[in-house]
Amino acid sequence: AAMKKIATAKKCQLADLHAIFLKALAGKPADAGGNMFTSDGVHMNGAGDLLMAEGILKTLGVPKSKINATK
């Protein structure tokens, strides 16, 4: 909430990566074990890097078609 308040006050864009990761983790299959987005619970793996990059690009206004074309 504090980040959103500051971004609004400063008229800045905010890539809310925390919300993006929470949404992605909510869709994690119940039988999936281990870390989906990290190699060790802290450092991102390829899937985590991709999710962060997509969140930032989307916030910057890059169309989804262009984001998907890079995969």
Side-chain angles (χ1 to χ4, degrees), residues 14-49:
L14 172 66
D16 190 350
L17 298 178
H18 183 254
I20 291 168
F21 273 94
L22 288 178
K23 183 177 178 182
L25 288 170
K28 180 179 177 179
D31 61 343
N35 299 315
M36 272 181 68
F37 301 112
T38 66
S39 58
D40 58 5
V42 176
H43 301 95
M44 294 296 123
N45 61 20
D49 290 339

Side-chain angles (χ1 to χ4, degrees), residues 13 15 55-62:
Q13 292 177 321
I56 292 167
L57 291 171
K58 184 178 175 184
T59 299
L60 293 174
V62 176

